[in-house]
Amino acid sequence: MKKIFGKQVAIALVLIVVVGGAFSLGYYTGEKKHPAIESVSGLSNKEVGEPNGTDFSLFWQAWNTLNEKYAGSTTPPSAQERVWGAIEGLAGAYGDPYTTFFPPQESKNFQEAVAGNFDGVGMEVGIQGGVLVVISPLKNTPASRAGVEAGDQILKIDKTDAATLSVDKAVNLIRGKKGTTVVLTLGRKGIKAPFVVSIVRDTIDIPTVDTEFRKKDGVFVLRLYSFSALSPGLFRDGLRQFAESGSDKLVIDLRNNPGGYLEAAVDMASWFLPVGKVVVTEDFGKAQDPQVYRSKGYNVFSDNLKLVILLNAGSASASEILAGALHDQGKATLVGEKSFGKGSVQELVDLPGKTSLKVTIARWLTPNGTSISGNGITPDVVVEMNADDVKAGKDTQLEKAAAVLLNKK
C-alpha cells in the first residue's frame, strides 16, 4: 500500500489507496422530524448509517423544495447527481482543498493520473492563500513549453472562473483528450495584467532524473523531476554516476518537483543517513499515535560529501520531505526559494458506484518537528530567479549552489 505525494496534473497530495472501502448514504428521516420524506423518491438506504444526534430535516426540506419548485434554465440533476452534489458539499464544508468527493468519472480520472500516464497539459495545481496556483509545470510538457511558471495564479479555465473551484474540479477542467486545447487566464507576480495562454493537450509521461557533471568547477548536478515508482532506481544510478565522476560536490535539484511516492523519498534519504535516523513523521493529531519513517541506512557517502539541495516554489510534498530530512539531519545546505508547503496526507477511499472520497488524515513533520503543511521550507541561502535571468538562460540559483559547495560567497 503506497502513500503518494502530489505529482502530475491531477495530483496535489499524498494518497493511501484503500480498496473496497464501504460507505452507506444515511440521513435521519424519522417521521416525527420530517413527515414529508415520502416525497423523496428514487433513493434507497436513506436511514442506513445515520449519525446519532444529527437532524437532517433541513436537508430534506431543501431537497423537497428544489424537487418541487425548481424551474430554472438548466436541466435538473438526477436524484443520484443530487446525492453526489450533497457529498461534494459535505467534503467542501471542511475547508480543506485536498478533501474531495469524486463522482465516477472524476474518480476514474484521478486514479488514471496516479498510474502515471494521462492526457493533459503537464502541470500540478494547488491552493495557496485561498487561490488556485500552479505548483509546477513538468519538464518538456505542453504547460512548460507554453511558458507556464510555478506560482502562476489560475484565474480562468476556458470561460470558467477558477476562484471557487476545488483543486480536483480545476484539474478535471484542465485535463482532456490529446490534441484538444485549453485556454488559461493567468496572473503572475511582476506582471500587472492577467494574460492568456492556450495549451494543446498531449499524453503526459512523467520525467524522472537527469545528470550533469560541470567540468569547470567539478560540481555534479542530479536533477530529480518526480518521486515515481521508478525514481529510487534512477536516483541510485545517478548517484553511481556521481561517485564515478570523482567529485565530492553534489547538487540535488528539486526545483519544480511536485512530489510522488513517500517510499521513494525515504529510500533516497537513506543513501545519506545512518540506519534509524528519522526521515519524516506522519502526525495524525489526536486520532492516533504518530508514524515515524526512518532511514534504511544505505549511508554510502563519507563525511567529506558536500551537498546542496535546490528548492523553489514548485518543490512540494516528497521534495520537501527529502530536503527537510537531509537539512535537519545536518547533511545538506538548502539554496533557492521557499518551497510550496504541501505537507498534508490524504487517504483515497473507494465508495460504492465507482465513486471515491479523498480525505486529509495527517500532516508531515521534518525530523526537527517542523510542519511542512502551509509553511513550506525556507532555504539557508535564499536566491530568487528574476524574469531577466530566465529569459537570458542564466541559472543564478544553480550558480549560487556551486559557489556554496566551493566555499565562495
Side-chain angles (χ1 to χ4, degrees):
M1 194 174 293
K2 289 187 167 107
K3 293 183 182 177
I4 308 170
F5 295 80
K7 54 183 187 54
Q8 54 267 64
V9 173
I11 315 173
L13 45 95
V14 184
L15 303 176
I16 310 167
V17 179
V18 180
V19 179
F23 181 82
S24 297
L25 281 175
Y27 304 107
Y28 188 80
T29 58
E31 291 184 1
K32 291 183 179 179
K33 293 200 173 186
H34 192 41
I37 190 60
E38 288 77 10
S39 65
V40 180
S41 61
L43 297 177
S44 60
N45 299 326
K46 292 191 286 287
E47 297 182 10
V48 177
E50 63 188 37
N52 292 329
T54 302
D55 183 357
F56 277 85
S57 60
L58 178 60
F59 173 84
W60 289 118
Q61 184 176 350
W63 176 291
N64 288 332
T65 298
L66 288 167
N67 196 44
E68 296 164 2
K69 297 182 179 294
Y70 177 78
S73 59
T74 60
T75 302
S78 67
Q80 184 61 75
E81 288 170 339
R82 277 174 274 172
V83 170
W84 291 337
I87 302 172
E88 288 177 345
L90 174 63
Y94 285 80
D96 173 24
Y98 302 109
T99 294
T100 309
F101 172 75
F102 295 125
Q105 186 58 50
E106 286 83 351
S107 182
K108 180 176 180 290
N109 291 345
F110 185 85
Q111 296 193 47
E112 284 178 353
V114 173
N117 182 286
F118 54 92
D119 288 350
V121 302
M123 67 185 191
E124 185 183 3
V125 302
I127 300 291
Q128 196 169 58
V131 179
L132 188 68
V133 300
V134 177
I135 296 178
S136 66
L138 300 177
K139 180 186 177 184
N140 295 330
T141 60
S144 64
R145 291 191 291 268
V148 176
E149 297 181 7
D152 284 350
Q153 296 183 346
I154 303 174
L155 308 177
K156 284 186 177 181
I157 304 169
D158 291 323
K159 295 182 180 180
T160 302
D161 189 341
T164 60
L165 293 177
S166 69
V167 170
D168 300 292
K169 282 191 176 296
V171 164
N172 196 48
L173 291 173
I174 294 170
R175 287 186 63 190
K177 292 183 179 180
K178 177 180 178 179
T180 60
T181 299
V182 61
V183 178
L184 302 179
T185 302
L186 304 175
R188 181 176 297 168
K189 183 179 179 181
I191 299 179
K192 292 183 179 180
F195 60 97
V196 174
V197 176
S198 295
I199 310 175
V200 179
R201 300 176 176 100
D202 201 349
T203 299
I204 307 301
D205 294 307
I206 307 305
T208 305
V209 171
D210 65 42
T211 60
E212 174 192 1
F213 179 64
R214 294 162 45 114
K215 292 183 179 180
K216 65 179 182 179
D217 53 23
V219 172
F220 191 94
V221 183
L222 194 162
R223 296 181 177 89
L224 183 65
Y225 300 106
S226 70
F227 287 76
S228 69
L230 299 177
S231 294
L234 295 172
F235 187 76
R236 179 193 61 212
D237 292 342
L239 292 179
R240 182 184 295 114
Q241 294 174 42
F242 166 62
E244 292 171 349
S245 74
S247 175
D248 62 352
K249 296 176 282 293
L250 175 63
V251 173
I252 300 177
D253 189 349
L254 297 179
R255 292 175 296 178
N256 294 331
N257 183 326
Y261 289 117
L262 168 63
E263 290 89 339
V266 173
D267 191 87
M268 292 174 192
S270 297
W271 290 105
F272 305 93
L273 300 176
V275 66
K277 286 288 186 179
V278 174
V279 175
V280 69
T281 298
E282 190 174 10
D283 179 18
F284 297 91
K286 297 179 180 179
Q288 66 183 76
D289 292 337
Q291 172 76 45
V292 179
Y293 295 87
R294 300 180 183 276
S295 168
K296 300 174 184 177
Y298 307 148
N299 195 28
V300 297
F301 296 103
S302 71
D303 292 338
N304 294 326
L305 174 70
K306 300 178 181 67
L307 175 61
V308 165
I309 294 178
L310 279 173
L311 298 174
N312 69 0
S315 307
S317 58
S319 292
E320 294 170 298
I321 283 181
L322 179 60
L326 298 185
H327 176 266
D328 285 6
Q329 298 291 5
K331 295 294 183 178
T333 300
L334 306 183
V335 174
E337 300 167 74
K338 186 177 180 180
S339 63
F340 183 80
K342 174 61 182 73
S344 59
V345 187
Q346 281 70 43
E347 178 177 342
L348 185 68
V349 182
D350 289 339
L351 304 180
K354 298 183 179 180
T355 65
S356 57
L357 186 67
K358 177 163 59 70
V359 186
T360 296
I361 60 170
R363 60 187 183 132
W364 297 111
L365 306 179
T366 69
N368 286 349
T370 301
S371 175
I372 296 170
S373 186
N375 300 316
I377 296 175
T378 300
D380 302 297
V381 182
V382 176
V383 182
E384 294 188 358
M385 292 278 285
N386 60 51
D388 292 337
D389 288 338
V390 174
K391 289 180 181 179
K394 185 178 180 181
D395 193 341
T396 54
Q397 293 173 337
L398 178 57
E399 294 307 318
K400 185 61 178 180
V404 169
L405 291 173
L406 295 165
N407 294 317
K408 297 180 180 179
K409 293 184 179 180

